[in-house]
């Protein structure tokens, strides 16, 4: 669970609204899991191979959820 928390914190810190807002809701304990999964999948689709530090985290977060 600590690994997933760390990933969510990185998503929030990214400032990218697509994943930052749902990740913050997860950290706050108010997430809609379906919306979070959808946002992470969309982020992976749009940015999952750009070479940034978040690329491998999308798939890892989905595996942990």
């Amino acid at each position: 669970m600590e690994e997933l928390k760390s990933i969510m914190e990185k998503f929030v810190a990214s400032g990218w609204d697509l994943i930052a807002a749902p990740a913050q809701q997860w950290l706050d304990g108010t997430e809609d899991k379906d919306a979070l999964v959808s946002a992470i999948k969309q982020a992976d689709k749009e940015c999952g191979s750009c070479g940034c530090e978040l690329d491998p985290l999308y798939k890892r977060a989905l595996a942990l959820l």
Side-chain angles (χ1 to χ4, degrees), residues 2-54:
E2 194 61 35
E3 180 184 5
L4 187 55
K5 181 180 179 212
S6 174
I7 292 171
M8 293 301 166
E9 288 170 346
K10 287 180 183 181
F11 288 168
V12 171
S14 76
W16 187 17
D17 287 341
L18 176 65
I19 56 170
Q24 184 62 60
Q25 290 174 340
W26 184 89
L27 289 169
D28 294 341
T30 61
E31 93 284 358
D32 172 345
K33 185 175 179 184
D34 292 337
L36 176 62
V37 168
S38 178
I40 295 171
K41 285 181 179 179
Q42 184 64 33
D44 187 39
K45 182 178 176 184
E46 291 182 24
C47 179
S49 59
C50 74
C52 76
E53 70 170 320
L54 298 179

